[in-house]
Amino acid sequence: MKKITYLFYLLTLSVFSQSQYVYNFKNSDSLDSYIQKNNLVFHPEDIYITKDFESFKAHTQTSFFASPIIFVFNKEGKYLESIDNISSERKLSNFKRIRKKTDKDQPSLEFLTEKIAHYNSGEVFEDKHLYTYTFVINWMLVSGEQKPIIIKLLNEWYGVLLRQKRAGENIKIILLNIDVQDHWGLSQTWRGYVLENLNRSSDK
Amino acid sequence: MRCFIIIITLFTFYNSMIAQNEAFQTHVNILQLDELKNKIFESREPYKIVFIFNQFCSASRDVFPELDELYKKAHKENFELFVVTNTKEKNKEELEDHLFYYGYGEPFYILKDKPLLGFLKKTIQSICESCNANEMGYSSFMVFNENNEVLEQTNYNQTKEEIISTLKKYIQ
């Protein structure tokens, strides 16, 4: 029964997940290697992953499960808006243009942060409401013809946010890798189930 | 000797930390066309590059990242770059946001007396009488030597690779 319930979760994966993305299990080495090979300018301290399979399941049931995209939260951890490649230049270069009104229909930052951990140390993230804005950049280890465009976009987003930080903006950047992770410790059978269903879902 | 090496290492590390944490700044200047011409022609640099830019033109957006890469790596000892944009004075903030987003720190120039029509042709002809402005577009550029003689004039028929290869000769 438990298996059926899990399968149901996976089969009903959000339509927001990337089309034609081939899921595969990742770990901190594969993330490091991808970052290095593709010249991603990511600082290791900002990189996070989903901490366990339960968290991943919960994440996939929300509109936060998409990539590449940025979710913006205010100091209280309330959701403000999402930023994509169309709006990123205007909004990330000038925070005056970020929506001020909170969206009560969306989960708060805490919903996300309680499900994530640092990709290397495994340390959990605790939102202490210290930052004016928190930017969560969702990303995946994309391959194929879209890869150069997505890599360029991720570098632009992270680069401009780093410039904002250096200019004195009190912000937190979370580079959230939303791939499935080795360290969840799923059995081979489970890994097979998960991949089969995720990949079937992303083909739709 | 060991002490000297340690001091040098610490100094280098300190400098690189400062460079990494330095706040990025855009450089957008607003002036009259005549003031810009004076600035270009009074510059004593061996090479003066005047690049025509339009924030919304795909050719500019295509070429500029590579120009920026060259500019960032350059020693900047024998050239001066003037990026002349068709941006209106009232849209300065929008241009600054664009430059901030991409991390472009080059000196940009907005013309206070930007002509209502024919910005490209009128501006180019005013800066370079001998240049064929009809052949030039956004992302074209001119290079003058220290005696203000024209060394290069690119045109819109040139490929991006040709444009970058010409820029490489001067941006060093």
Side-chain angles (χ1 to χ4, degrees), chain B residues 3-5 16 27 36 46 53 58 63 65-66 69 83 87 108 117 128 136 142 151-153 169-171:
Chain B
C3 190
F4 178 72
I5 293 170
S16 85
H27 298 97
L36 173 66
F53 181 86
S58 58
V63 169
E66 294 194 39
E69 210 178 308
V83 185
T87 309
F108 276 70
L117 294 168
C128 176
M136 298 178 78
M142 302 153 267
L151 297 178
E152 301 275 359
Q153 176 211 340
K169 290 198 304 198
Y170 302 100
I171 301 186

mmCIF file with all atom_site columns, all heavy atoms in Angstrom, chain B residues 3-5 16 27 36 46 53 58 63 65-66 69 83 87 108 117 128 136 142 151-153 169-171:
data_model
loop_
_atom_site.group_PDB
_atom_site.id
_atom_site.type_symbol
_atom_site.label_atom_id
_atom_site.label_alt_id
_atom_site.label_comp_id
_atom_site.label_asym_id
_atom_site.label_entity_id
_atom_site.label_seq_id
_atom_site.pdbx_PDB_ins_code
_atom_site.Cartn_x
_atom_site.Cartn_y
_atom_site.Cartn_z
_atom_site.occupancy
_atom_site.B_iso_or_equiv
_atom_site.pdbx_formal_charge
_atom_site.auth_seq_id
_atom_site.auth_comp_id
_atom_site.auth_asym_id
_atom_site.auth_atom_id
_atom_site.pdbx_PDB_model_num
ATOM 1   N N   . CYS B 1 3   ? 60.127 35.403 5.753   1.00 0.00 ? 3   CYS B N   1
ATOM 2   C CA  . CYS B 1 3   ? 59.229 36.456 6.217   1.00 0.00 ? 3   CYS B CA  1
ATOM 3   C C   . CYS B 1 3   ? 58.723 37.287 5.021   1.00 0.00 ? 3   CYS B C   1
ATOM 4   O O   . CYS B 1 3   ? 57.550 37.618 4.918   1.00 0.00 ? 3   CYS B O   1
ATOM 5   C CB  . CYS B 1 3   ? 59.980 37.335 7.210   1.00 0.00 ? 3   CYS B CB  1
ATOM 6   S SG  . CYS B 1 3   ? 58.923 38.465 8.044   1.00 0.00 ? 3   CYS B SG  1
ATOM 7   N N   . PHE B 1 4   ? 59.654 37.570 4.107   1.00 0.00 ? 4   PHE B N   1
ATOM 8   C CA  . PHE B 1 4   ? 59.313 38.366 2.929   1.00 0.00 ? 4   PHE B CA  1
ATOM 9   C C   . PHE B 1 4   ? 58.256 37.648 2.083   1.00 0.00 ? 4   PHE B C   1
ATOM 10  O O   . PHE B 1 4   ? 57.268 38.242 1.636   1.00 0.00 ? 4   PHE B O   1
ATOM 11  C CB  . PHE B 1 4   ? 60.599 38.612 2.120   1.00 0.00 ? 4   PHE B CB  1
ATOM 12  C CG  . PHE B 1 4   ? 60.367 39.384 0.853   1.00 0.00 ? 4   PHE B CG  1
ATOM 13  C CD1 . PHE B 1 4   ? 60.060 40.754 0.904   1.00 0.00 ? 4   PHE B CD1 1
ATOM 14  C CD2 . PHE B 1 4   ? 60.440 38.773 -0.382  1.00 0.00 ? 4   PHE B CD2 1
ATOM 15  C CE1 . PHE B 1 4   ? 59.843 41.463 -0.264  1.00 0.00 ? 4   PHE B CE1 1
ATOM 16  C CE2 . PHE B 1 4   ? 60.221 39.476 -1.550  1.00 0.00 ? 4   PHE B CE2 1
ATOM 17  C CZ  . PHE B 1 4   ? 59.926 40.831 -1.492  1.00 0.00 ? 4   PHE B CZ  1
ATOM 18  N N   . ILE B 1 5   ? 58.473 36.326 1.889   1.00 0.00 ? 5   ILE B N   1
ATOM 19  C CA  . ILE B 1 5   ? 57.522 35.533 1.093   1.00 0.00 ? 5   ILE B CA  1
ATOM 20  C C   . ILE B 1 5   ? 56.145 35.539 1.757   1.00 0.00 ? 5   ILE B C   1
ATOM 21  O O   . ILE B 1 5   ? 55.115 35.709 1.095   1.00 0.00 ? 5   ILE B O   1
ATOM 22  C CB  . ILE B 1 5   ? 58.043 34.084 0.880   1.00 0.00 ? 5   ILE B CB  1
ATOM 23  C CG1 . ILE B 1 5   ? 59.295 34.132 -0.005  1.00 0.00 ? 5   ILE B CG1 1
ATOM 24  C CG2 . ILE B 1 5   ? 56.983 33.194 0.239   1.00 0.00 ? 5   ILE B CG2 1
ATOM 25  C CD1 . ILE B 1 5   ? 60.054 32.824 -0.099  1.00 0.00 ? 5   ILE B CD1 1
ATOM 26  N N   . SER B 1 16  ? 43.424 40.271 -3.429  1.00 0.00 ? 16  SER B N   1
ATOM 27  C CA  . SER B 1 16  ? 42.425 39.500 -4.176  1.00 0.00 ? 16  SER B CA  1
ATOM 28  C C   . SER B 1 16  ? 41.096 39.493 -3.427  1.00 0.00 ? 16  SER B C   1
ATOM 29  O O   . SER B 1 16  ? 40.031 39.508 -4.025  1.00 0.00 ? 16  SER B O   1
ATOM 30  C CB  . SER B 1 16  ? 42.920 38.095 -4.471  1.00 0.00 ? 16  SER B CB  1
ATOM 31  O OG  . SER B 1 16  ? 42.667 37.255 -3.395  1.00 0.00 ? 16  SER B OG  1
ATOM 32  N N   . HIS B 1 27  ? 29.182 52.847 -15.084 1.00 0.00 ? 27  HIS B N   1
ATOM 33  C CA  . HIS B 1 27  ? 29.712 54.183 -15.406 1.00 0.00 ? 27  HIS B CA  1
ATOM 34  C C   . HIS B 1 27  ? 28.933 54.778 -16.559 1.00 0.00 ? 27  HIS B C   1
ATOM 35  O O   . HIS B 1 27  ? 29.281 54.547 -17.730 1.00 0.00 ? 27  HIS B O   1
ATOM 36  C CB  . HIS B 1 27  ? 31.201 54.091 -15.756 1.00 0.00 ? 27  HIS B CB  1
ATOM 37  C CG  . HIS B 1 27  ? 32.022 53.589 -14.617 1.00 0.00 ? 27  HIS B CG  1
ATOM 38  N ND1 . HIS B 1 27  ? 32.397 52.277 -14.489 1.00 0.00 ? 27  HIS B ND1 1
ATOM 39  C CD2 . HIS B 1 27  ? 32.492 54.226 -13.519 1.00 0.00 ? 27  HIS B CD2 1
ATOM 40  C CE1 . HIS B 1 27  ? 33.075 52.124 -13.367 1.00 0.00 ? 27  HIS B CE1 1
ATOM 41  N NE2 . HIS B 1 27  ? 33.147 53.290 -12.760 1.00 0.00 ? 27  HIS B NE2 1
ATOM 42  N N   . LEU B 1 36  ? 31.368 65.079 -25.855 1.00 0.00 ? 36  LEU B N   1
ATOM 43  C CA  . LEU B 1 36  ? 31.869 63.720 -26.086 1.00 0.00 ? 36  LEU B CA  1
ATOM 44  C C   . LEU B 1 36  ? 33.005 63.745 -27.108 1.00 0.00 ? 36  LEU B C   1
ATOM 45  O O   . LEU B 1 36  ? 34.050 63.107 -26.909 1.00 0.00 ? 36  LEU B O   1
ATOM 46  C CB  . LEU B 1 36  ? 30.726 62.805 -26.564 1.00 0.00 ? 36  LEU B CB  1
ATOM 47  C CG  . LEU B 1 36  ? 31.155 61.401 -26.998 1.00 0.00 ? 36  LEU B CG  1
ATOM 48  C CD1 . LEU B 1 36  ? 31.689 60.586 -25.819 1.00 0.00 ? 36  LEU B CD1 1
ATOM 49  C CD2 . LEU B 1 36  ? 29.999 60.638 -27.644 1.00 0.00 ? 36  LEU B CD2 1
ATOM 50  N N   . PRO B 1 46  ? 46.887 55.863 -27.311 1.00 0.00 ? 46  PRO B N   1
ATOM 51  C CA  . PRO B 1 46  ? 47.237 55.472 -28.689 1.00 0.00 ? 46  PRO B CA  1
ATOM 52  C C   . PRO B 1 46  ? 46.013 55.031 -29.515 1.00 0.00 ? 46  PRO B C   1
ATOM 53  O O   . PRO B 1 46  ? 45.953 55.255 -30.714 1.00 0.00 ? 46  PRO B O   1
ATOM 54  C CB  . PRO B 1 46  ? 48.195 54.308 -28.497 1.00 0.00 ? 46  PRO B CB  1
ATOM 55  C CG  . PRO B 1 46  ? 48.718 54.445 -27.122 1.00 0.00 ? 46  PRO B CG  1
ATOM 56  C CD  . PRO B 1 46  ? 47.659 55.107 -26.313 1.00 0.00 ? 46  PRO B CD  1
ATOM 57  N N   . PHE B 1 53  ? 26.163 51.573 -29.310 1.00 0.00 ? 53  PHE B N   1
ATOM 58  C CA  . PHE B 1 53  ? 25.415 50.554 -28.543 1.00 0.00 ? 53  PHE B CA  1
ATOM 59  C C   . PHE B 1 53  ? 23.929 50.886 -28.464 1.00 0.00 ? 53  PHE B C   1
ATOM 60  O O   . PHE B 1 53  ? 23.527 52.047 -28.373 1.00 0.00 ? 53  PHE B O   1
ATOM 61  C CB  . PHE B 1 53  ? 26.006 50.515 -27.122 1.00 0.00 ? 53  PHE B CB  1
ATOM 62  C CG  . PHE B 1 53  ? 25.363 49.514 -26.208 1.00 0.00 ? 53  PHE B CG  1
ATOM 63  C CD1 . PHE B 1 53  ? 25.784 48.189 -26.188 1.00 0.00 ? 53  PHE B CD1 1
ATOM 64  C CD2 . PHE B 1 53  ? 24.337 49.891 -25.339 1.00 0.00 ? 53  PHE B CD2 1
ATOM 65  C CE1 . PHE B 1 53  ? 25.201 47.268 -25.329 1.00 0.00 ? 53  PHE B CE1 1
ATOM 66  C CE2 . PHE B 1 53  ? 23.748 48.979 -24.482 1.00 0.00 ? 53  PHE B CE2 1
ATOM 67  C CZ  . PHE B 1 53  ? 24.181 47.663 -24.473 1.00 0.00 ? 53  PHE B CZ  1
ATOM 68  N N   . SER B 1 58  ? 19.647 43.292 -30.915 1.00 0.00 ? 58  SER B N   1
ATOM 69  C CA  . SER B 1 58  ? 20.199 41.949 -30.718 1.00 0.00 ? 58  SER B CA  1
ATOM 70  C C   . SER B 1 58  ? 21.682 41.893 -31.089 1.00 0.00 ? 58  SER B C   1
ATOM 71  O O   . SER B 1 58  ? 22.448 41.151 -30.475 1.00 0.00 ? 58  SER B O   1
ATOM 72  C CB  . SER B 1 58  ? 19.398 40.920 -31.505 1.00 0.00 ? 58  SER B CB  1
ATOM 73  O OG  . SER B 1 58  ? 19.413 41.269 -32.859 1.00 0.00 ? 58  SER B OG  1
ATOM 74  N N   . VAL B 1 63  ? 27.234 40.984 -29.326 1.00 0.00 ? 63  VAL B N   1
ATOM 75  C CA  . VAL B 1 63  ? 28.664 41.306 -29.341 1.00 0.00 ? 63  VAL B CA  1
ATOM 76  C C   . VAL B 1 63  ? 29.182 41.751 -27.972 1.00 0.00 ? 63  VAL B C   1
ATOM 77  O O   . VAL B 1 63  ? 30.306 41.421 -27.589 1.00 0.00 ? 63  VAL B O   1
ATOM 78  C CB  . VAL B 1 63  ? 28.945 42.417 -30.400 1.00 0.00 ? 63  VAL B CB  1
ATOM 79  C CG1 . VAL B 1 63  ? 30.355 42.968 -30.271 1.00 0.00 ? 63  VAL B CG1 1
ATOM 80  C CG2 . VAL B 1 63  ? 28.709 41.893 -31.797 1.00 0.00 ? 63  VAL B CG2 1
ATOM 81  N N   . PRO B 1 65  ? 28.868 41.041 -24.724 1.00 0.00 ? 65  PRO B N   1
ATOM 82  C CA  . PRO B 1 65  ? 29.470 40.176 -23.702 1.00 0.00 ? 65  PRO B CA  1
ATOM 83  C C   . PRO B 1 65  ? 30.936 39.857 -23.989 1.00 0.00 ? 65  PRO B C   1
ATOM 84  O O   . PRO B 1 65  ? 31.750 39.798 -23.074 1.00 0.00 ? 65  PRO B O   1
ATOM 85  C CB  . PRO B 1 65  ? 28.607 38.908 -23.745 1.00 0.00 ? 65  PRO B CB  1
ATOM 86  C CG  . PRO B 1 65  ? 27.296 39.367 -24.269 1.00 0.00 ? 65  PRO B CG  1
ATOM 87  C CD  . PRO B 1 65  ? 27.606 40.472 -25.232 1.00 0.00 ? 65  PRO B CD  1
ATOM 88  N N   . GLU B 1 66  ? 31.266 39.687 -25.273 1.00 0.00 ? 66  GLU B N   1
ATOM 89  C CA  . GLU B 1 66  ? 32.658 39.354 -25.606 1.00 0.00 ? 66  GLU B CA  1
ATOM 90  C C   . GLU B 1 66  ? 33.559 40.578 -25.520 1.00 0.00 ? 66  GLU B C   1
ATOM 91  O O   . GLU B 1 66  ? 34.716 40.484 -25.120 1.00 0.00 ? 66  GLU B O   1
ATOM 92  C CB  . GLU B 1 66  ? 32.726 38.691 -26.977 1.00 0.00 ? 66  GLU B CB  1
ATOM 93  C CG  . GLU B 1 66  ? 32.018 37.351 -26.921 1.00 0.00 ? 66  GLU B CG  1
ATOM 94  C CD  . GLU B 1 66  ? 32.300 36.449 -28.097 1.00 0.00 ? 66  GLU B CD  1
ATOM 95  O OE1 . GLU B 1 66  ? 33.446 36.417 -28.566 1.00 0.00 ? 66  GLU B OE1 1
ATOM 96  O OE2 . GLU B 1 66  ? 31.342 35.786 -28.533 1.00 0.00 ? 66  GLU B OE2 1
ATOM 97  N N   . GLU B 1 69  ? 34.289 40.900 -21.907 1.00 0.00 ? 69  GLU B N   1
ATOM 98  C CA  . GLU B 1 69  ? 35.304 39.942 -21.462 1.00 0.00 ? 69  GLU B CA  1
ATOM 99  C C   . GLU B 1 69  ? 36.709 40.452 -21.799 1.00 0.00 ? 69  GLU B C   1
ATOM 100 O O   . GLU B 1 69  ? 37.613 40.400 -20.957 1.00 0.00 ? 69  GLU B O   1
ATOM 101 C CB  . GLU B 1 69  ? 35.044 38.610 -22.160 1.00 0.00 ? 69  GLU B CB  1
ATOM 102 C CG  . GLU B 1 69  ? 35.466 37.410 -21.342 1.00 0.00 ? 69  GLU B CG  1
ATOM 103 C CD  . GLU B 1 69  ? 35.140 36.120 -22.071 1.00 0.00 ? 69  GLU B CD  1
ATOM 104 O OE1 . GLU B 1 69  ? 33.980 35.947 -22.500 1.00 0.00 ? 69  GLU B OE1 1
ATOM 105 O OE2 . GLU B 1 69  ? 36.054 35.298 -22.214 1.00 0.00 ? 69  GLU B OE2 1
ATOM 106 N N   . VAL B 1 83  ? 31.641 53.995 -25.094 1.00 0.00 ? 83  VAL B N   1
ATOM 107 C CA  . VAL B 1 83  ? 30.452 53.289 -25.581 1.00 0.00 ? 83  VAL B CA  1
ATOM 108 C C   . VAL B 1 83  ? 29.320 54.316 -25.675 1.00 0.00 ? 83  VAL B C   1
ATOM 109 O O   . VAL B 1 83  ? 28.835 54.815 -24.661 1.00 0.00 ? 83  VAL B O   1
ATOM 110 C CB  . VAL B 1 83  ? 30.041 52.123 -24.652 1.00 0.00 ? 83  VAL B CB  1
ATOM 111 C CG1 . VAL B 1 83  ? 28.883 51.345 -25.267 1.00 0.00 ? 83  VAL B CG1 1
ATOM 112 C CG2 . VAL B 1 83  ? 31.225 51.205 -24.394 1.00 0.00 ? 83  VAL B CG2 1
ATOM 113 N N   . THR B 1 87  ? 20.389 55.480 -25.788 1.00 0.00 ? 87  THR B N   1
ATOM 114 C CA  . THR B 1 87  ? 19.444 55.603 -24.668 1.00 0.00 ? 87  THR B CA  1
ATOM 115 C C   . THR B 1 87  ? 19.090 57.082 -24.443 1.00 0.00 ? 87  THR B C   1
ATOM 116 O O   . THR B 1 87  ? 19.962 57.945 -24.535 1.00 0.00 ? 87  THR B O   1
ATOM 117 C CB  . THR B 1 87  ? 20.099 55.045 -23.378 1.00 0.00 ? 87  THR B CB  1
ATOM 118 O OG1 . THR B 1 87  ? 20.602 53.757 -23.674 1.00 0.00 ? 87  THR B OG1 1
ATOM 119 C CG2 . THR B 1 87  ? 19.132 54.998 -22.230 1.00 0.00 ? 87  THR B CG2 1
ATOM 120 N N   . PHE B 1 108 ? 29.942 54.308 -20.431 1.00 0.00 ? 108 PHE B N   1
ATOM 121 C CA  . PHE B 1 108 ? 28.849 54.526 -21.385 1.00 0.00 ? 108 PHE B CA  1
ATOM 122 C C   . PHE B 1 108 ? 28.531 56.022 -21.457 1.00 0.00 ? 108 PHE B C   1
ATOM 123 O O   . PHE B 1 108 ? 28.630 56.732 -20.454 1.00 0.00 ? 108 PHE B O   1
ATOM 124 C CB  . PHE B 1 108 ? 27.584 53.756 -20.941 1.00 0.00 ? 108 PHE B CB  1
ATOM 125 C CG  . PHE B 1 108 ? 27.588 52.316 -21.381 1.00 0.00 ? 108 PHE B CG  1
ATOM 126 C CD1 . PHE B 1 108 ? 28.470 51.400 -20.819 1.00 0.00 ? 108 PHE B CD1 1
ATOM 127 C CD2 . PHE B 1 108 ? 26.712 51.874 -22.372 1.00 0.00 ? 108 PHE B CD2 1
ATOM 128 C CE1 . PHE B 1 108 ? 28.492 50.076 -21.234 1.00 0.00 ? 108 PHE B CE1 1
ATOM 129 C CE2 . PHE B 1 108 ? 26.723 50.550 -22.792 1.00 0.00 ? 108 PHE B CE2 1
ATOM 130 C CZ  . PHE B 1 108 ? 27.609 49.651 -22.229 1.00 0.00 ? 108 PHE B CZ  1
ATOM 131 N N   . LEU B 1 117 ? 15.565 61.899 -34.648 1.00 0.00 ? 117 LEU B N   1
ATOM 132 C CA  . LEU B 1 117 ? 15.621 60.886 -35.710 1.00 0.00 ? 117 LEU B CA  1
ATOM 133 C C   . LEU B 1 117 ? 17.053 60.744 -36.197 1.00 0.00 ? 117 LEU B C   1
ATOM 134 O O   . LEU B 1 117 ? 17.833 61.689 -36.138 1.00 0.00 ? 117 LEU B O   1
ATOM 135 C CB  . LEU B 1 117 ? 14.734 61.304 -36.878 1.00 0.00 ? 117 LEU B CB  1
ATOM 136 C CG  . LEU B 1 117 ? 13.234 61.350 -36.612 1.00 0.00 ? 117 LEU B CG  1
ATOM 137 C CD1 . LEU B 1 117 ? 12.514 62.050 -37.742 1.00 0.00 ? 117 LEU B CD1 1
ATOM 138 C CD2 . LEU B 1 117 ? 12.668 59.944 -36.432 1.00 0.00 ? 117 LEU B CD2 1
ATOM 139 N N   . CYS B 1 128 ? 32.918 61.081 -36.828 1.00 0.00 ? 128 CYS B N   1
ATOM 140 C CA  . CYS B 1 128 ? 33.876 60.630 -37.852 1.00 0.00 ? 128 CYS B CA  1
ATOM 141 C C   . CYS B 1 128 ? 33.371 61.024 -39.246 1.00 0.00 ? 128 CYS B C   1
ATOM 142 O O   . CYS B 1 128 ? 32.575 60.289 -39.845 1.00 0.00 ? 128 CYS B O   1
ATOM 143 C CB  . CYS B 1 128 ? 34.040 59.115 -37.746 1.00 0.00 ? 128 CYS B CB  1
ATOM 144 S SG  . CYS B 1 128 ? 35.095 58.404 -38.991 1.00 0.00 ? 128 CYS B SG  1
ATOM 145 N N   . MET B 1 136 ? 27.177 51.475 -41.181 1.00 0.00 ? 136 MET B N   1
ATOM 146 C CA  . MET B 1 136 ? 27.381 51.123 -39.771 1.00 0.00 ? 136 MET B CA  1
ATOM 147 C C   . MET B 1 136 ? 26.056 50.927 -39.045 1.00 0.00 ? 136 MET B C   1
ATOM 148 O O   . MET B 1 136 ? 25.050 51.535 -39.385 1.00 0.00 ? 136 MET B O   1
ATOM 149 C CB  . MET B 1 136 ? 28.218 52.199 -39.072 1.00 0.00 ? 136 MET B CB  1
ATOM 150 C CG  . MET B 1 136 ? 29.606 52.323 -39.685 1.00 0.00 ? 136 MET B CG  1
ATOM 151 S SD  . MET B 1 136 ? 30.595 53.617 -38.935 1.00 0.00 ? 136 MET B SD  1
ATOM 152 C CE  . MET B 1 136 ? 31.118 52.828 -37.419 1.00 0.00 ? 136 MET B CE  1
ATOM 153 N N   . MET B 1 142 ? 34.402 52.519 -34.319 1.00 0.00 ? 142 MET B N   1
ATOM 154 C CA  . MET B 1 142 ? 35.500 53.190 -35.019 1.00 0.00 ? 142 MET B CA  1
ATOM 155 C C   . MET B 1 142 ? 36.689 53.215 -34.075 1.00 0.00 ? 142 MET B C   1
ATOM 156 O O   . MET B 1 142 ? 36.507 53.308 -32.867 1.00 0.00 ? 142 MET B O   1
ATOM 157 C CB  . MET B 1 142 ? 35.129 54.646 -35.315 1.00 0.00 ? 142 MET B CB  1
ATOM 158 C CG  . MET B 1 142 ? 33.878 54.812 -36.136 1.00 0.00 ? 142 MET B CG  1
ATOM 159 S SD  . MET B 1 142 ? 33.086 56.405 -35.802 1.00 0.00 ? 142 MET B SD  1
ATOM 160 C CE  . MET B 1 142 ? 31.908 56.017 -34.532 1.00 0.00 ? 142 MET B CE  1
ATOM 161 N N   . LEU B 1 151 ? 41.549 54.572 -37.838 1.00 0.00 ? 151 LEU B N   1
ATOM 162 C CA  . LEU B 1 151 ? 42.296 53.341 -38.121 1.00 0.00 ? 151 LEU B CA  1
ATOM 163 C C   . LEU B 1 151 ? 41.364 52.223 -38.570 1.00 0.00 ? 151 LEU B C   1
ATOM 164 O O   . LEU B 1 151 ? 41.726 51.383 -39.380 1.00 0.00 ? 151 LEU B O   1
ATOM 165 C CB  . LEU B 1 151 ? 43.046 52.880 -36.864 1.00 0.00 ? 151 LEU B CB  1
ATOM 166 C CG  . LEU B 1 151 ? 44.116 53.797 -36.313 1.00 0.00 ? 151 LEU B CG  1
ATOM 167 C CD1 . LEU B 1 151 ? 44.699 53.198 -35.043 1.00 0.00 ? 151 LEU B CD1 1
ATOM 168 C CD2 . LEU B 1 151 ? 45.222 54.019 -37.330 1.00 0.00 ? 151 LEU B CD2 1
ATOM 169 N N   . GLU B 1 152 ? 40.186 52.217 -38.005 1.00 0.00 ? 152 GLU B N   1
ATOM 170 C CA  . GLU B 1 152 ? 39.216 51.149 -38.315 1.00 0.00 ? 152 GLU B CA  1
ATOM 171 C C   . GLU B 1 152 ? 37.813 51.722 -38.346 1.00 0.00 ? 152 GLU B C   1
ATOM 172 O O   . GLU B 1 152 ? 37.487 52.634 -37.586 1.00 0.00 ? 152 GLU B O   1
ATOM 173 C CB  . GLU B 1 152 ? 39.204 50.069 -37.221 1.00 0.00 ? 152 GLU B CB  1
ATOM 174 C CG  . GLU B 1 152 ? 40.496 49.374 -36.948 1.00 0.00 ? 152 GLU B CG  1
ATOM 175 C CD  . GLU B 1 152 ? 40.786 48.209 -37.864 1.00 0.00 ? 152 GLU B CD  1
ATOM 176 O OE1 . GLU B 1 152 ? 39.948 47.899 -38.743 1.00 0.00 ? 152 GLU B OE1 1
ATOM 177 O OE2 . GLU B 1 152 ? 41.866 47.610 -37.698 1.00 0.00 ? 152 GLU B OE2 1
ATOM 178 N N   . GLN B 1 153 ? 37.028 51.156 -39.233 1.00 0.00 ? 153 GLN B N   1
ATOM 179 C CA  . GLN B 1 153 ? 35.593 51.435 -39.193 1.00 0.00 ? 153 GLN B CA  1
ATOM 180 C C   . GLN B 1 153 ? 34.922 50.125 -39.554 1.00 0.00 ? 153 GLN B C   1
ATOM 181 O O   . GLN B 1 153 ? 35.150 49.598 -40.633 1.00 0.00 ? 153 GLN B O   1
ATOM 182 C CB  . GLN B 1 153 ? 35.223 52.506 -40.237 1.00 0.00 ? 153 GLN B CB  1
ATOM 183 C CG  . GLN B 1 153 ? 33.730 52.776 -40.302 1.00 0.00 ? 153 GLN B CG  1
ATOM 184 C CD  . GLN B 1 153 ? 33.240 53.191 -41.686 1.00 0.00 ? 153 GLN B CD  1
ATOM 185 O OE1 . GLN B 1 153 ? 34.006 53.630 -42.542 1.00 0.00 ? 153 GLN B OE1 1
ATOM 186 N NE2 . GLN B 1 153 ? 31.930 53.046 -41.909 1.00 0.00 ? 153 GLN B NE2 1
ATOM 187 N N   . LYS B 1 169 ? 42.591 43.481 -31.352 1.00 0.00 ? 169 LYS B N   1
ATOM 188 C CA  . LYS B 1 169 ? 43.840 44.161 -31.717 1.00 0.00 ? 169 LYS B CA  1
ATOM 189 C C   . LYS B 1 169 ? 44.077 45.398 -30.840 1.00 0.00 ? 169 LYS B C   1
ATOM 190 O O   . LYS B 1 169 ? 45.204 45.812 -30.616 1.00 0.00 ? 169 LYS B O   1
ATOM 191 C CB  . LYS B 1 169 ? 43.779 44.603 -33.195 1.00 0.00 ? 169 LYS B CB  1
ATOM 192 C CG  . LYS B 1 169 ? 43.831 43.471 -34.178 1.00 0.00 ? 169 LYS B CG  1
ATOM 193 C CD  . LYS B 1 169 ? 44.207 43.908 -35.594 1.00 0.00 ? 169 LYS B CD  1
ATOM 194 C CE  . LYS B 1 169 ? 43.310 44.961 -36.174 1.00 0.00 ? 169 LYS B CE  1
ATOM 195 N NZ  . LYS B 1 169 ? 43.358 45.135 -37.626 1.00 0.00 ? 169 LYS B NZ  1
ATOM 196 N N   . TYR B 1 170 ? 42.985 45.978 -30.378 1.00 0.00 ? 170 TYR B N   1
ATOM 197 C CA  . TYR B 1 170 ? 43.106 47.259 -29.667 1.00 0.00 ? 170 TYR B CA  1
ATOM 198 C C   . TYR B 1 170 ? 42.826 47.168 -28.161 1.00 0.00 ? 170 TYR B C   1
ATOM 199 O O   . TYR B 1 170 ? 43.390 47.930 -27.385 1.00 0.00 ? 170 TYR B O   1
ATOM 200 C CB  . TYR B 1 170 ? 42.162 48.296 -30.306 1.00 0.00 ? 170 TYR B CB  1
ATOM 201 C CG  . TYR B 1 170 ? 42.460 48.486 -31.761 1.00 0.00 ? 170 TYR B CG  1
ATOM 202 C CD1 . TYR B 1 170 ? 41.692 47.863 -32.741 1.00 0.00 ? 170 TYR B CD1 1
ATOM 203 C CD2 . TYR B 1 170 ? 43.563 49.236 -32.175 1.00 0.00 ? 170 TYR B CD2 1
ATOM 204 C CE1 . TYR B 1 170 ? 41.991 48.006 -34.098 1.00 0.00 ? 170 TYR B CE1 1
ATOM 205 C CE2 . TYR B 1 170 ? 43.874 49.382 -33.523 1.00 0.00 ? 170 TYR B CE2 1
ATOM 206 C CZ  . TYR B 1 170 ? 43.080 48.762 -34.473 1.00 0.00 ? 170 TYR B CZ  1
ATOM 207 O OH  . TYR B 1 170 ? 43.398 48.899 -35.797 1.00 0.00 ? 170 TYR B OH  1
ATOM 208 N N   . ILE B 1 171 ? 41.920 46.265 -27.787 1.00 0.00 ? 171 ILE B N   1
ATOM 209 C CA  . ILE B 1 171 ? 41.591 46.156 -26.353 1.00 0.00 ? 171 ILE B CA  1
ATOM 210 C C   . ILE B 1 171 ? 42.592 45.212 -25.708 1.00 0.00 ? 171 ILE B C   1
ATOM 211 O O   . ILE B 1 171 ? 42.419 43.999 -25.716 1.00 0.00 ? 171 ILE B O   1
ATOM 212 C CB  . ILE B 1 171 ? 40.133 45.689 -26.147 1.00 0.00 ? 171 ILE B CB  1
ATOM 213 C CG1 . ILE B 1 171 ? 39.179 46.675 -26.809 1.00 0.00 ? 171 ILE B CG1 1
ATOM 214 C CG2 . ILE B 1 171 ? 39.806 45.541 -24.668 1.00 0.00 ? 171 ILE B CG2 1
ATOM 215 C CD1 . ILE B 1 171 ? 37.709 46.421 -26.556 1.00 0.00 ? 171 ILE B CD1 1
#
